[in-house]
Amino acid sequence: MPDKAKNPPRVVVFAYHSVGVRCLEVLHRSGVDIALIVTHPDDPSENRWFDSVAEWAAQQGIPALTPPNPNDPALVERISALHPDFFFSFYYRQMLGADLLALPKRGAYNLHGSLLPRYRGRVPVNWAVICGETETGATLHVMTLKPDQGDIVAQEKVPIGPDDTAHDVFLRVIEAGERALSQVLPALLAGKAVHRRQDLSQGNYCGGRRPEDGKIDWSQPAQVIHNLVRGVAPPYPGAFTL
């Protein structure tokens, strides 16, 4: 880990959710200089069952912004003035554009909730459960303009039991993400992390899900219905029938 007395690496973090809080704590303990956090405003109308990055930043006295668009030129200019060494993205909900990704001198890394290249894209934990997978995990990878396609630097697996809900699995994925970041961070900061290219032909891409996608199709096999029910169980909108 870097010596706090000697100009630690400066990072800008884009983060949300409990994943963001737990990974920010890893960075904070490591002694890096968290110069700025970009997050989302906490929506009182949302079923927020997870921790608040904005609240964590306030407790630590770290500047935090909640812009509607992280790619706004004024924000890009502000971040550029910080001369960041690294970007980290932990469950931030918006894509970073080319102007932003060009700023960090030593790389931009994103944590994704699947075993890339499988389940690239949206809500990967829910999709893994719905599709009947027996394992998933968390992957730290290089950020690129296309989502979830950059080189992998760390990956941790977690099991999915036959009756686990997506929430059960998500809690394990949070811990897996924290472990993955903790294990690779010293090598990243030292410039020695191994980067492994993804073979996208071995994976798949999934889109977002809407509440209406939880409608049960009773013509499907019982196992498929069981997987849907547990894959969208609370705190997600849930499966339903008419």
Side-chain angles (χ1 to χ4, degrees):
M1 292 298 180
D3 185 342
K4 296 184 181 183
K6 296 180 181 177
N7 298 325
R10 175 169 287 187
V11 304
V12 172
V13 183
F14 299 79
Y16 194 60
H17 213 284
S18 299
V19 183
V21 171
R22 296 277 286 272
C23 290
L24 277 162
E25 289 174 343
V26 172
L27 293 178
H28 193 53
R29 290 194 300 268
S30 79
V32 301
D33 174 14
I34 303 175
L36 180 68
I37 296 171
V38 181
T39 186
H40 303 290
D42 295 322
D43 184 351
S45 67
E46 183 176 359
N47 177 23
R48 188 167 68 84
W49 52 272
F50 42 83
D51 295 330
S52 167
V53 166
E55 291 175 4
W56 184 89
Q59 292 166 2
Q60 303 300 328
I62 298 173
L65 301 175
T66 57
N69 177 13
N71 300 295
D72 180 86
L75 180 57
V76 174
E77 184 175 353
R78 177 171 177 173
I79 294 175
S80 177
L82 296 172
H83 304 290
D85 293 296
F86 293 96
F87 279 179
F88 289 98
S89 176
F90 306 126
Y91 270 67
Y92 189 70
R93 292 176 170 178
Q94 292 180 256
M95 292 292 295
L96 306 189
D99 290 344
L100 268 179
L101 291 178
L103 295 180
K105 298 188 286 286
R106 298 179 58 190
Y109 296 87
N110 174 63
L111 187 72
H112 184 71
S114 78
L115 297 176
L116 291 178
R118 303 200 69 194
Y119 297 100
R120 304 188 305 276
R122 302 286 185 179
V123 293
V125 171
N126 303 79
W127 276 116
V129 175
I130 290 167
C131 292
E133 300 289 353
T134 58
E135 69 175 9
T136 187
T139 304
L140 189 70
H141 66 93
V142 174
M143 296 181 73
T144 60
L145 290 177
K146 292 186 178 181
D148 309 324
Q149 294 192 13
D151 290 357
I152 293 169
V153 294
Q155 197 166 66
E156 284 284 316
K157 295 181 180 181
V158 298
I160 302 176
D163 296 316
D164 284 339
T165 66
H167 181 251
D168 296 330
V169 178
F170 199 101
L171 295 179
R172 292 184 203 129
V173 169
I174 292 174
E175 295 179 351
E178 186 178 15
R179 290 196 306 273
L181 178 63
S182 297
Q183 290 170 9
V184 79
L185 187 58
L188 270 181
L189 299 181
K192 297 179 180 179
V194 176
H195 289 58
R196 173 168 58 89
R197 178 170 291 185
Q198 293 191 53
D199 180 357
L200 300 182
S201 69
Q202 299 302 307
N204 57 315
Y205 182 87
C206 295
R209 293 187 62 84
R210 303 163 298 172
E212 53 265 39
D213 294 329
K215 184 177 181 180
I216 296 171
D217 178 357
W218 293 105
S219 68
Q220 294 293 315
Q223 187 63 54
V224 171
I225 295 172
H226 176 63
N227 292 343
L228 173 66
V229 170
R230 64 197 183 96
V232 297
Y236 304 102
F240 67 94
T241 189
L242 301 175

